[in-house]
Each structure stands twice: as structure tokens, then as C-alpha cells.
Amino acid sequence: RLMPIFQVTNEDGVAVVTMDLPGEPVNKLNAAAKAEFTQVFAALAADSNVKAVVFLSGKPGTFIAGADIEEFTQVKSREEAEVLSRDGQAMLDDIAHLSKPVVAAIHGVCLGGGLEFALACHYRVGSSDDKTQLGLPEVQLGLLPGAGGCQRLPRLIGLRAALDMILAGKSVRARKAYRLGLVDELVPQSILRRTALAAAHRLSRDSVVKRAKRGTGFMGLLLDRNPLGRRLVYSQAGKSVRSKTGGHYPAPLAALDCVRVGLEKGMAAGLVAEHREFGRLAVTDVSRKLVQIFFGTTALKKDDGVPRGTGTALEIRRMGVVGSGFMGAGIAGTAVSRAQVEVRLKDTDLGRVAIGLKAARGPLDKGLTRRRLTKYDYARQVALLSGTTDMTGFGRSELVVEAVFEDLEVKRQVLAEFEEVLPGGSVYATNTSTIPIERIADGAAHPERVIGMHFFSPVEKMPLLEVIPGKETNADTIVTAVHFGRRMGKTVIVVRDHPGFWVNRILSPYMNEAGYLLKEGTPIEAIDRTMTRYGFPVGPIALLDEVGIDVAQKASGVMYQAFGERLRPAPVIDALVGDGRLGRKSGRGLYRYEKGKKKGPDQSVYRLLGVQRREEVSPETIEERLLYAMLNEAAMAVGEGVVRSPRDGDIGAIFGIGFPPFRGGPLRVIDTLSAARVVDVLQSLAAMYGPRFTPCDALVEQAKANRKFYPD
Ligand code: 3HC
């Protein structure tokens, strides 16, 4: 190799080591980096002209993004994976045991093996930049921190704070990292290098490496030093993990165990547990699926939904949002807090605008109370939001998102009004879940600039955005919508303008089937429990209450009209809506609500539907009917080109409806089961429950040809 990964300069006796992995956008700890690092480090250890070491990254936005995930995909056996982890531990042990102080200067993303690297250093200086984020996301890949992270993190910031980070795999920003004691100093990026050098000089003069201990606090320390207190923390953490993962994800429990072994039996035992468990987890099906999702999501970040080079994104600085209801306010608030653009929110009367603005400020208020935002940033971002009831102030908007009532005529009228005032070249997006974009854009002066942006509720939290070009939408408009969606923090899939688009299309038969089950008297709790056990975050009945039964009624009506008998709505929805049960928002639905809190299933539903509760339906039957209805529809929609690739379909299902990530998505599930088996099961379901289960042609052909969605 011509280019070295690590550049070393000696500055007054401090070796400054800069990592810059050639030809890669981020630094990662791959085999080559580990090998070179070991050599470089041995030389530094032996060099008497070196009193201390500063470690820096040469990449603009990353310190180190972790171990090389690509390498994990090559691993064939548990033993091989164990070796990867053990080698990483050994390399970081060299740093930790070096007799000269090592200072990490962290700017940008510092994740997984990258944070473990920083933890092995003796002192950490962080840049206060927003780009700086520290975390151990391994569990999100079905793994655990396997290079000493389960050992060093609790020793540095205390047991509870460490478990919070390790078990959820969430990263923290610089300021929080400083509060936790994860970094020892926090400085602007401009003086990061200088500060780290000064620290290295200072530490090299001290005989013992001294650090201020912060973060864990008095109570934290008391608890950590007390074996009974620790046991309590382990057991609470274990309980919370079990309830969150439903037993589907082995990684967090394994990580908890490695932390426990390390603290109770010493670091050496902890490291052994860590590499053993890492080896075991790396070859699990769960981890393989989660890694596939990581690469799928990463590839999606670069896919604008049009052939490369065919469209140019407009830079959005000012946007309009029409309709200040729950959706509109959510879009406005997320646009301000994530994309930091000026947002003008319009509605028909000032009262509604005021309510919308208040709701839009929600994410900012939360940022302030959680100390993610300074008062200054809060004030600045709040000032980006304004409201209006007329058409003033939209003349310079590059983007308008309409989120008014789902009514074709109203939507057309709003579009016509805005076409009058919007500057040339701007983009007009409509947030609809059911109305074809083509029909909204029909008759528009500039249909090439009209596009669908289907956000999910609540906008701030839901990670997916469907972008739907109409027949005449041009490439610039598509790319603009996709890029802006990403700036709002969303994973974006570009889908075909076909009823229900992707997410609601595959959800529709699933929800209908839940209705059929209910109509047969299947207990509400049995239906929901079966699907949460399968891995969905909520069951279909609870989802119905959350979405709103009237909303579901409308959507299912549209789907029925478009697709006919197969998607005939289950005969329960009308009765429920007729009884005034609209779900959580009305305080009455299929569950009971008291003061806004969800209680158990509402038993009076069965009488309303004129059915007897039937306990005997087995969970296997419930699962099969619900799941296969969705699988069949998904295969059919792929065949119709609703999504551009199986990857988009699976990621859409996972991020849009919470399809269990560890199963890889509905299309992966079909591959895993084989199309032939899915066809068989669908045929027997059709024989028992009716032709709605008839396997679609796409699936039958796939079975005949023995094809997969992902030929690997
Ligand atoms: N391994 C391999 N490739 C990685 C990587 C990693 N840890 N992190 C990033 N990349 C690659 C991406 O695949 C992408 O490759 P491509 O250009 O060929 O498509 C490229 O780097 C740039 O990544 P993004 O497009 O995602 O860039 P962003 O700036 O949007 O995001 C990031 C950067 C936040 C670092 C994001 O890539 C990320 O979250 N990476 C994964 C971080 C992670 O999970 N680390 C833990 C790894 S496991 C581990 O360390 C085990 C240890 O405990 C032993």
C-alpha cells in the first residue's frame, strides 16, 4: 500500500498520530488499520523522543465510525468472529497500557470500536461541534461492544449511564458526553488540536495520569461501589431489556452480562466474556439481518430515486406548510428543528394557526428541557417559525408542503392558490396517504413541480418518508423532495403513484384480516399479543386505535375501490365508527381509555359486533392469517413496480410500520420461507377463509422459477 493510514509527526516530544483511511469516506478499524496501528504503536512506545501521544482523525466528519462492518459479513464461523473481537481488544490494551499518556482528540462521529478506541486512551478532548457524537451502536447490529467497551465504559462513567448507552445503542452529543464524563474537556473544533497537545504535555509531566472524575455523581458512585446496589441495577436493566426486546434480540442481554462479569470478576474475565459473546452473536441470523438493513439504509442515502445525474436538488431555505393540524404542525416542527429552515405555517383562522405553531414548537421545547438546545439556539429556531392565514410571505418559498384534509377538491384548490404566488422552479408537495398525486396535479399549471410526500404520524418520531412522483413530475422535483426529506432526518423511499403507495398498500390486507378475526370473535388481546410476539411494536388492533378508526375506514374504502374484493374492508369498521368509536383520540375504541391512558381491551366491542368471544383460535392461525395477507400483497406490489427494489420495500416496511427488523422485512421473510412455501400456505388459507388469500401471480411465478427477491 502506498498511502499510510496513520501519519505521525513529532511536535515537541508529543507524537501526533492522524488516522486517515485512504479512499474511504470514514475511518473504520479494518484489518489493515489494525495491522498498521500495531506497528506504529510499537515504534512510538520504543521511541525515547516521544513523551506522549495525541490521536486525531484526518476525516472531516468522523473520528472513527467503528470496526469495519463489512468484515463481519465475511466471517464464516463463531471462532473467526471471536478472533476479530480479541484482536481489537489486544490492540486497545496496547494503548491503555502504554506508559506514555495517550490523548484522543475527538471531532465528529465516534462510534462502536471508535469509541472503544477513545476509551482506551488516557484522556479525551471533544469538539463541541454538533457533528461530534459518541456511542456504542453495536446492539443495533445485533452485536455487542467487543473491544473492551463493556468494560471501560462503566468504569469511566458509572454503571447506570454506561448501561443506558450500551443497551439501547443510542449515541450522545458532545455536551452530554462531557456531562457524563465521557470526554474530559470540551472545546470548539478550532482549538481541539491545540488543547489536546496541551493536555498531552501536561499529562506527560505528571507521573500519574490524573483526571477529574465527573458524571456519576455521589449517588451513582455509592451505588456502583455497593454489590447489592449493582445487583439491583443489573436486574432492573435485565427486566427492561426483556420487556423491550420480547426475547427476539439476544445482544443487549449478552452485553449486560459482559458488563456484569467485568465488574464482578474483573476486567480480564470481562474481556473473555466479551469476545466469546461477540463471536456467538456475530453469526446469528438476527445480526446478519440487522447488518443487511444497515447496508440497505446506507445505500438508500445515496439513491435519489432517479438515475444518477438526471436531477438537481433545489436548496431549501424557506418553506411553507399548509394546514396546521397534527400532520402540518409535525412537518413544520421537524423541518425547523432538523433542517433549520424558515417555515411559514398557513391555516384558515388564526386560532388554528396558533395551535399549530404551539405544536410545531414541540420538538424545540423538548430540546430545551432536555438540554439538547441552548437557550440561544432555541430562540433562534423558534424565530424560524411564523404563521399566517393569507397568502403573504410565500413568494420566496422554494418548497410548500400541503397537509390539509384528505379531500381531492380541497387539495386541488390549495394547489391552484399556491401556483399563483410560488416563484418559478419551486416545488409543491402534497402530504396524502390515499389520493393519487396524478389526480391532485391534474389541471395544474406546473404538474412537473408537483409531488407527493407521505409523512407518517407522529412526524417527528416516524423515520420514514414516501416520496411519490406523479406522471409528469420532473427529476429536479423528485431529487429536491428526497434531499429535503433526508435533511428532515427521514429515510426516504421513492414509490410509484399507485393507491396506498407502498406502506398503506401492504398494511391494508393485514389490518382487514385483523378485522375479520375480530368479527369471528377472536379476543382483541390474542390478536395483538400474537403480533407483538412476532416482533411488531404494537398489534394491529392497538394500531387501529392509534391511527383512528375513521381514518382507517376512509383509507380502506379507497383501497377497496382501487383493488376490489381482495381488499374489501372487514365488516367491523363501519359498526365501530357508527358507535362513535374513533380510537384513542376520541377516548373510545377497541381499547378503553381513562384520562388519555390506554387500559385493557373494551369487552363491550363483541356485543356491538354481535359476536361471541372465541378463545380457541390458536396464535399460529392468527399469525399466519395476518402475516401471509401482508406477504402476498407485498409480493404483488413489488411485481407492479410500487417500490424500486426489494431493499426499498423491506426498509419501508420496517421504518413505516415497524415490521420486525430482525426478520429483515416482508420480502426477506418470503425469501427465507421460500416463495413455494408461501404459495402453499396461501393456497390452504384461501381454501379455508376465501379467495382474498389467493397467491398473486408474481409469487406463483417466483415459486415456479425458484427465484428470490435477493439473489445472494
Ligand atoms: N464499517 C464499514 N463501513 C462503514 C462503517 C463501518 N463501521 N461506518 C460507515 N461505513 C461506510 C458506509 O457503509 C458508507 O459506505 P459507502 O460509501 O461505500 O456506501 C460510508 O462509510 C459512508 O457512510 P454513510 O453514507 O452512512 O455516511 P453518513 O455520514 O451518513 O454516516 C455514520 C456516517 C454515522 C458513521 C454511519 O455510517 C454509521 O452509523 N455507521 C455505522 C456505525 C456503527 O454501527 N459502528 C459500530 C460498528 S460495530 C463495532 O464497532 C464492533 C466493535 O465493538 C468491535
Side-chain angles (χ1 to χ4, degrees):
R1 207 165 8 81
L2 295 172
M3 299 267 287
I5 301 170
F6 298 93
Q7 298 271 2
V8 185
T9 56
N10 191 315
E11 299 186 19
D12 266 345
V14 174
V16 179
V17 182
T18 308
M19 178 175 186
D20 196 342
L21 199 61
E24 294 284 343
V26 301
N27 279 331
K28 47 192 177 182
L29 298 170
N30 59 13
K34 282 191 220 161
E36 188 176 313
F37 184 82
T38 308
Q39 280 180 3
V40 167
F41 235 67
L44 293 175
D47 188 344
S48 57
N49 291 323
V50 170
K51 296 178 297 184
V53 179
V54 165
F55 187 88
L56 281 167
S57 160
K59 301 288 184 209
T62 29
F63 177 71
I64 300 174
D68 187 352
I69 303 170
E70 200 82 53
E71 282 180 358
F72 302 159
T73 62
Q74 316 292 327
V75 161
K76 299 274 179 301
S77 69
R78 178 177 179 162
E79 291 72 27
E80 261 180 74
E82 230 177 76
V83 169
L84 274 184
S85 163
R86 214 169 41 214
D87 286 354
Q89 292 179 343
M91 168 181 146
L92 299 189
D93 262 358
D94 285 349
I95 303 180
H97 295 135
L98 192 75
S99 55
K100 308 166 187 188
V102 184
V103 176
I106 306 164
H107 168 71
V109 177
C110 174
L111 295 176
L115 179 55
E116 294 176 296
F117 185 105
L119 288 169
C121 296
H122 306 112
Y123 195 83
R124 283 153 294 278
V125 185
S127 94
S128 50
D129 198 280
D130 263 354
K131 289 206 185 90
T132 301
Q133 296 204 13
L134 298 90
L136 294 171
E138 284 88 342
V139 294
Q140 297 191 7
L141 298 168
L143 301 166
L144 54 72
C150 296
Q151 312 308 316
R152 294 197 175 93
L153 191 64
R155 284 172 173 79
L156 184 66
I157 66 170
L159 177 58
R160 269 188 302 186
L163 288 178
D164 280 348
M165 287 183 71
I166 294 171
L167 302 183
K170 290 227 174 80
S171 46
V172 296
R173 302 221 183 149
R175 226 161 328 138
K176 172 114 191 249
Y178 178 68
R179 273 206 308 276
L180 289 172
L182 192 50
V183 297
D184 301 281
E185 276 183 83
L186 193 63
V187 295
Q189 195 208 343
S190 54
I191 58 163
L192 179 67
R193 190 177 200 279
R194 207 187 326 148
T195 312
L197 268 167
H201 280 295
R202 200 170 62 239
L203 293 171
S204 72
R205 284 194 297 271
D206 296 344
S207 51
V208 189
V209 177
K210 284 195 214 109
R211 285 189 323 101
K213 186 133 178 90
R214 271 195 327 272
T216 45
F218 183 61
M219 278 311 288
L221 277 177
L222 269 187
L223 201 67
D224 279 7
R225 291 208 182 126
N226 166 356
L228 274 178
R230 288 198 302 269
R231 217 185 300 156
L232 188 70
V233 176
Y234 301 136
S235 98
Q236 279 170 348
K239 234 187 260 162
S240 140
V241 164
R242 270 186 287 269
S243 87
K244 278 192 194 128
T245 61
H248 291 305
Y249 298 87
L253 275 186
L256 176 61
D257 208 45
C258 293
V259 170
R260 188 184 55 77
V261 171
L263 288 184
E264 305 310 317
K265 304 205 172 127
M267 179 112 170
L271 286 171
V272 171
E274 211 177 276
H275 65 239
R276 287 220 177 115
E277 287 295 282
F278 185 91
R280 178 176 73 87
L281 294 170
V283 293
T284 53
D285 195 45
V286 172
S287 175
R288 300 275 195 218
K289 293 262 165 46
L290 295 176
V291 166
Q292 281 160 354
I293 293 164
F294 167 74
F295 284 118
T297 321
T298 305
L300 202 49
K301 286 189 206 164
K302 296 182 192 77
D303 185 342
D304 294 341
V306 295
R308 213 174 269 272
T310 54
T312 313
L314 264 186
E315 196 195 325
I316 311 296
R317 288 192 209 92
R318 294 180 201 87
M319 95 186 254
V321 175
V322 194
S324 66
F326 194 60
M327 228 32 210
I331 295 168
T334 311
V336 165
S337 65
R338 298 297 297 255
Q340 319 253 308
V341 292
E342 265 180 55
V343 177
R344 196 155 170 78
L345 187 60
K346 178 180 187 291
D347 211 317
T348 45
D349 73 73
L350 271 178
R352 295 166 75 110
V353 173
I355 293 170
L357 285 175
K358 183 159 181 279
R361 264 203 317 268
L364 303 179
D365 292 338
K366 208 173 350 153
L368 187 67
T369 41
R370 299 213 177 145
R371 293 202 276 173
R372 256 194 328 246
L373 281 179
T374 60
K375 277 193 186 140
Y376 170 76
D377 285 332
Y378 175 80
R380 194 174 52 81
Q381 292 185 24
V382 166
L384 291 171
L385 267 171
S386 64
T388 179
T389 54
D390 57 27
M391 296 301 288
T392 54
F394 293 105
R396 292 188 305 153
S397 302
E398 294 92 1
L399 170 70
V400 163
V401 180
E402 165 269 304
V404 302
F405 192 63
E406 285 278 278
D407 180 288
L408 179 61
E409 280 321 308
V410 179
K411 283 187 183 276
R412 275 196 184 145
Q413 193 188 330
V414 174
L415 169 58
E417 272 167 22
F418 274 84
E419 283 203 309
E420 296 271 310
V421 300
L422 282 180
S426 57
V427 167
Y428 183 91
T430 169
N431 175 68
T432 172
S433 50
T434 49
I435 307 176
I437 308 309
E438 207 178 290
R439 294 183 63 193
I440 297 173
D442 189 25
H446 291 287
E448 73 279 6
R449 295 191 217 145
V450 179
I451 196 161
M453 285 175 93
H454 178 210
F455 288 92
F456 294 80
S457 183
V459 179
E460 187 204 346
K461 285 211 185 109
M462 292 296 286
L464 189 74
L465 170 67
E466 287 183 311
V467 164
I468 312 110
K471 211 170 33 200
E472 296 180 67
T473 311
N474 68 22
D476 288 353
T477 301
I478 300 174
V479 178
T480 300
V482 169
H483 281 218
F484 191 69
R486 285 195 198 121
R487 273 181 73 194
M488 285 177 73
K490 304 300 170 203
T491 292
V492 187
I493 58 174
V494 175
V495 299
R496 218 185 113 188
D497 189 12
H498 208 46
F501 312 129
W502 169 252
V503 169
N504 284 339
R505 170 77 182 275
I506 63 171
L507 196 57
S508 181
Y510 170 85
M511 297 298 266
N512 284 347
E513 201 55 32
Y516 282 113
L517 281 161
L518 202 58
K519 183 70 188 165
E520 294 160 24
T522 317
I524 292 170
E525 60 276 24
I527 300 174
D528 278 354
R529 200 186 321 114
T530 301
M531 294 329 275
T532 52
R533 286 214 176 130
Y534 183 75
F536 280 92
V538 291
I541 307 286
L543 184 63
L544 203 55
D545 264 8
E546 293 301 324
V547 170
I549 302 177
D550 53 332
V551 174
Q553 181 186 39
K554 201 158 175 169
S556 61
V558 171
M559 298 304 281
Y560 179 45
Q561 236 181 14
F563 296 99
E565 275 314 300
R566 187 182 74 258
L567 295 188
R568 172 186 281 280
V572 293
I573 301 282
D574 292 347
L576 291 164
V577 173
D579 190 43
R581 294 172 190 259
L582 307 186
R584 180 194 280 276
K585 65 184 171 195
S586 67
R588 282 181 77 223
L590 293 148
Y591 283 86
R592 287 178 295 110
Y593 298 88
E594 276 167 31
K595 295 195 188 110
K597 277 223 153 75
K598 184 170 145 202
K599 301 284 167 184
D602 189 338
Q603 302 299 341
S604 66
V605 164
Y606 306 101
R607 195 164 359 100
L608 174 72
L609 299 177
V611 297
Q612 289 281 326
R613 253 177 80 108
R614 279 177 54 214
E615 310 288 340
E616 64 275 11
V617 191
S618 74
E620 291 74 25
T621 305
I622 297 173
E623 180 184 307
E624 205 165 73
R625 286 174 60 175
L626 289 167
L627 178 67
Y628 279 71
M630 183 184 280
L631 297 183
N632 197 23
E633 199 68 30
M636 190 184 310
V638 170
E640 291 164 9
V642 171
V643 281
R644 298 170 64 246
S645 65
R647 172 202 73 196
D648 288 12
D650 279 337
I651 288 177
I654 291 167
F655 289 168
I657 53 181
F659 194 94
F662 69 95
R663 298 190 189 272
L667 305 168
R668 282 265 182 216
V669 167
I670 296 177
D671 275 2
T672 307
L673 293 164
S674 89
R677 157 111 187 115
V678 176
V679 167
D680 272 358
V681 174
L682 282 167
Q683 275 164 348
S684 60
L685 287 171
M688 271 186 288
Y689 303 102
R692 63 180 184 276
F693 280 106
T694 307
C696 66
D697 295 345
L699 207 51
V700 173
E701 271 168 40
Q702 189 145 321
K704 268 197 208 130
N706 199 12
R707 254 185 302 116
K708 287 181 171 246
F709 287 110
Y710 299 88
D712 37 29

